[in-house]
Amino acid sequence: MQDYKGFKKFSRRTKWIFSNSGVFSLGIEHFLAMIPATILVPILVNNTFGANVIDLSLVLFTSGIGTILFTLLSKGEIPAYVSSSFAYIGLTIYLIEAQTESGVSPHTAFMYVGWAYVFSGVILVALSFLYKKKGIEKIMSFLLPASVVGPAISLIGLELADTAVANAGFNVATGVWDGNAVIVAMVTLAVIILFSLLKHKLWKNASIIVGLIAGYITYFIVYGFPQEGLVTSSFFTVPNFNIPFLVFPKNWAGMLTAVIPATLIVFTENIGRVTVINRMKNNDGRESTVMFSKESMGTLHKGLLSHGVATIVASFIGSVPNTIYAENIAVMRIHNNEKKQDPDEFITKLTDPFSFVPYIIASCLAILFSFVGVLHSFLANIPKPVIGGMELFLFGIISAPGIQLLVDQRVNYKKISNQIITAAVLITGVSGLAVNLGIVELKGMSLGFVVGVVLNLIVQLLKWMGNTSDAMSFEEMLEDILDCCVRKHKGKEIVELTTAEKKVVTFDAEQLLDAMQSKITQVPLEDEMVSADFVRDTAKHSLGASLLFDGEKLLSITKTVNNLFVEFTKDVISNRTITSFLNDHPEAVDLEGELLRVDTSRNIPMRKIRDLVYAIFGITKNTEEEKAEEIKDNEEVK
């Protein structure tokens, strides 16, 4: 009886693996998605020098090995495919040309370049440990706000759009279309879109495969079957392994220095792509309004560490550095269905939309095909219009997560600073503008990313000085004041929020701040637990907030249609502080009886508001020294 139950369980699992789960068709789809970009890197370099400098079979092999390593080192938490990176193409050609000028063959010169590749992987591994530092999430949030990261993520797909359009038969420069190529590309694109929209999971998972087949058939109808055939190599082939440590370049210092800019480009790509994957996985609201938390820092560490190790291994055996492929992220996004619950835990894990199993299948196919010359040749000869149709779909899907990030983060585009930062990133990325650093070019997503970071730092500096035209929102003011509160008094204050319905809800100050910053998922409210999303929405739409300590109101924040006011009780602030503030900002201050009313809509620097808040907290500690200082201040004013 026990044997029968075991056989039944085995039969059910086998049926799910090969039929119901769709995991094999999805694995094939991931394999096909990464093929065009993977084979393009060696093809471009080899065409430049007219020789087999980079072995295509070896690149396929190391993409499979690298993805398996990436999956193991990240403990399966980051479903991704890693393969050859475009960021190193210009550097590779430059370094090989520099070596060949001194009489070295291109093949030997590429072995020298392997040293630089390995060093690049070591840099990535070293950078990954920055994510382990305490408080790094705050630094990341400051340097990389959503207004920078969102459009940068969208650029991952948008900057590749011209490649997809060209492959599909459209010549943007001349306005001339290759009619036959356009027909093939559009049929491929239409079939992929149609099957992606189908409810049936098996067909949906196979959308790119079906699109590829439809594209091939259309290509044969339009162009006819090629007389030379699709297969141009022998059935069996062996990747050409080249160990860079067998040779030692004389100018090794310059070579290692040259690879640093390209490494930093890949580093920024890693941030964007791991962030997309992490947010897709955590779509339950737990991290819906925060990009960089303590948990996400752990994921970024694993992603970059795994990426660096995979690059070291690939480079050590004579291949090229790798990166996380956006094409495969797009495939995962297409098939991001709800997880199916099943009594069998094995089946539940297998059908998880973020399972690493399809990537392992794709990796095994890449390793297998690296030894099969016939299949390798077939894939290398996929018609360009078919690839173009696939790319038009995938590159568009890749861009969507960046827009979703901006929505989830509730980026306030009423602020001109956010408009400028996002516009600068997008325009820089899609304009084709490039900055030549001699060894490497900054363009597309990488250049847009750098421009965004620099602009954000300028905005933050001007904001700190109070010289921007952006007025702080109610929730920003509340969060900033709560941050001062928590740092000075460890969050012992109570906050009363007045909702739009004129209802007063009370929160612990530290818990409210943690909820607003998405550090916690639930907050106690009137003998029940409410979600952090509810707290954030309440704070955003509240009409006012009061901060109380030991039952005494320290300050209140009130918003009207056009203004935002902070009111302080005068007896909790020293006269010296009040006088100083009045002298600096007389037009924004209103003394009403016992209240000091500040109109923060008039570009008052937040640091000035902080000074007032710190003054409150300093007095409410009621130390002997502070009491004496208060008496002295009052006497000086008299």
Side-chain angles (χ1 to χ4, degrees), residues 97-173:
E97 287 178 341
Q99 297 291 328
T100 53
E101 288 177 358
S102 59
V104 178
S105 69
H107 184 267
T108 303
F110 180 67
M111 293 180 69
Y112 290 158
V113 177
W115 279 85
Y117 289 167
V118 173
F119 182 60
S120 179
V122 172
I123 294 174
L124 292 176
V125 171
L127 288 173
S128 72
F129 288 97
L130 289 177
Y131 295 129
K132 306 283 281 185
K133 298 294 183 181
K134 185 178 179 181
I136 187 66
E137 68 276 5
K138 293 182 180 179
I139 297 174
M140 295 287 283
S141 297
F142 177 80
L143 293 176
L144 305 174
S147 55
V148 173
V149 178
I153 290 172
S154 292
L155 283 175
I156 295 172
L158 293 177
E159 68 172 315
L160 298 172
D162 57 344
T163 301
V165 168
N167 287 338
F170 299 97
N171 191 322
V172 179

Side-chain angles (χ1 to χ4, degrees), residues 242-367:
N242 293 301
I243 311 300
F245 289 98
L246 294 178
V247 294
F248 192 84
K250 294 180 180 179
N251 60 336
W252 60 271
M255 192 170 289
L256 298 188
T257 304
V259 82
I260 294 176
T263 306
L264 294 178
I265 292 173
V266 175
F267 172 65
T268 60
E269 288 180 349
N270 185 280
I271 292 175
R273 291 170 187 179
V274 173
T275 299
V276 170
I277 296 170
N278 198 36
R279 290 179 59 79
M280 286 170 62
K281 287 187 66 178
N282 294 290
N283 61 355
D284 56 357
R286 181 167 61 86
E287 289 191 301
S288 61
T289 57
V290 66
M291 285 187 298
F292 302 115
S293 63
K294 291 181 180 179
E295 293 79 8
S296 67
M297 288 301 104
T299 305
L300 286 167
H301 164 70
K302 290 176 184 176
L304 191 58
L305 175 65
S306 306
H307 183 174
V309 172
T311 291
I312 291 172
V313 172
S315 305
F316 184 77
I317 58 179
S319 187
V320 294
N322 50 44
T323 190
I324 297 174
Y325 265 23
E327 291 88 336
N328 296 89
I329 296 176
V331 171
M332 180 169 60
R333 184 172 182 80
I334 296 166
H335 305 301
N336 183 12
N337 299 322
E338 292 184 4
K339 184 175 180 178
K340 294 184 177 180
Q341 297 297 325
D342 192 276
D344 191 332
E345 186 179 354
F346 173 81
I347 291 176
T348 300
K349 289 182 178 179
L350 192 66
T351 55
D352 190 310
F354 301 104
S355 170
F356 60 83
V357 176
Y359 295 91
I360 297 300
I361 293 173
S363 304
C364 293
L365 288 173
I367 294 171

Side-chain angles (χ1 to χ4, degrees), residues 49 88-99 113 258 438-440:
F49 296 99
Y88 297 86
I89 291 178
L91 171 71
T92 301
I93 294 173
Y94 172 85
L95 292 179
I96 292 176
E97 287 178 341
Q99 297 291 328
V113 177
I439 299 169
V440 69

